């Protein structure tokens, strides 16, 4: 049986995977859904203001340590593609699989800011204008979303190459939304024999729109 660690993207918490978790558990697997530092309801201003990409990678690594996890599958949605890449690079071989669910797959020295599109850079900048440290959620969407630490979008990632040694790496491309920043990334990974590329005809929040399809991809051998 597999162990899944599910990491939500920008503005979201563990609740983002609430429809997928029971499907994986019903199939007999162990599932850990995380909420990253700065996105928890009781986080204070200082915590939100200082949380960055390293903080979020450390959240994942600390969870691996506390739960004594090895051979885990890390699943990152959207921004959390940055997080699982950073965590896998530092996890000393404890990761068996990476799944980037409509998520960034960074190269060394990239940030979420540099890897995304101009549209989303404008979203980040406008969303942070009120505080200078937290990006408010875009209009609409789940009311449980919280302001996201700006520093985590801006910090560049440092990769040693260890993440590229994870035995299995999957990228899930959600084709059913107009402003996707991942089209070029899909083409890059499709040409890389180290990656398996899958397509879902959903919007960005596939785990909410099509939880059964997401679970099926995660359960595929």
């Amino acid at each position: 049986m597999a162990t899944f660690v599910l990491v939500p993207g920008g503005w979201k918490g563990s609740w983002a995977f609430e429809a997928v978790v029971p499907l994986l558990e019903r199939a007999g697997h162990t599932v850990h859904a995380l909420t990253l530092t700065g996105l928890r309801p009781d986080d204070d201003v200082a915590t939100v203001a200082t949380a960055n990409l390293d903080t979020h990678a450390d959240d994942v690594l600390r969870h691996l340590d506390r739960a004594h996890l090895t051979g885990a599958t890390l699943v990152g949605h959207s921004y959390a593609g940055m997080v699982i890449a950073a965590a896998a690079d530092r996890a000393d071989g404890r990761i068996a699989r990476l799944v980037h669910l409509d998520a960034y797959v960074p190269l060394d020295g990239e940030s979420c800011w540099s890897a995304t599109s101009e549209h989303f850079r404008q979203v980040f900048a406008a969303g942070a204008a009120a505080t200078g440290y937290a990006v408010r959620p875009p209009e609409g969407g789940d009311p449980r979303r919280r302001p996201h630490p700006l520093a985590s979008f801006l910090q560049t990632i440092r990769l040693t190459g260890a993440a590229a040694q994870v035995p299995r790496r999957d990228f899930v491309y959600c084709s059913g939304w107009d402003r996707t920043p991942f089209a070029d990334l899909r083409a890059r990974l499709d040409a890389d024999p180290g990656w398996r590329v899958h397509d879902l005809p959903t919007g960005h929040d596939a785990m909410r729109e099509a939880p059964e399809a997401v679970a099926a991809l995660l359960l595929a051998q």
Side-chain angles (χ1 to χ4, degrees):
M1 295 293 102
T3 298
F4 294 94
V5 178
L6 311 180
V7 187
W11 304 286
K12 297 180 177 69
S14 60
W15 52 263
F17 292 100
E18 62 191 0
V20 173
V21 169
L23 300 176
L24 299 177
E25 292 180 335
R26 201 172 301 149
H29 302 287
T30 301
V31 187
H32 304 256
L34 307 187
T35 298
L36 298 172
T37 298
L39 283 302
R40 300 170 301 213
D42 57 348
D43 283 337
D44 59 20
V45 168
T47 300
V48 179
T50 56
N52 59 20
L53 179 58
D54 283 338
T55 308
H56 291 163
D58 286 343
D59 286 341
V60 175
L61 295 170
R62 278 195 300 272
H63 189 82
L64 296 178
D65 290 341
R66 285 195 301 266
H68 307 290
L69 301 182
T70 59
T73 294
L74 296 186
V75 181
H77 177 246
S78 194
Y79 155 74
M82 305 288 300
V83 178
I84 66 171
D89 201 71
R90 307 170 193 177
D92 297 324
R94 288 178 287 171
I95 308 305
R97 182 184 176 196
L98 291 172
V99 181
H100 291 251
L101 178 57
D102 216 36
Y104 299 95
V105 180
L107 301 172
D108 181 50
E110 287 188 324
S111 63
C112 187
W113 177 275
S114 69
T116 198
S117 64
E118 182 58 31
H119 167 74
F120 283 103
R121 282 190 284 270
Q122 291 178 12
V123 169
F124 296 163
T131 65
Y133 63 84
V135 182
R136 71 174 183 271
E139 294 297 324
D142 196 293
R144 291 173 288 183
R145 295 176 305 159
R146 300 186 61 79
H148 191 99
L150 176 62
S152 69
F153 288 151
L154 299 180
Q155 186 182 15
T156 58
I157 194 169
R158 294 302 174 194
L159 298 172
T160 67
Q165 302 306 311
V166 171
R168 179 172 173 185
R169 289 167 288 150
D170 294 85
F171 176 75
V172 182
Y173 178 70
C174 295
S175 60
W177 60 302
D178 293 335
R179 292 192 180 274
T180 177
F182 302 121
D184 290 345
L185 175 59
R186 185 203 179 284
R188 182 187 107 202
L189 298 179
D190 198 38
D192 185 335
W195 286 85
R196 301 184 189 188
V197 174
H198 316 268
D199 293 312
L200 282 180
T202 69
H204 185 46
D205 289 336
M207 58 278 194
R208 184 167 186 168
E209 294 183 32
E212 294 85 0
V214 171
L217 281 172
L218 296 180
L219 294 172
Q221 299 301 312

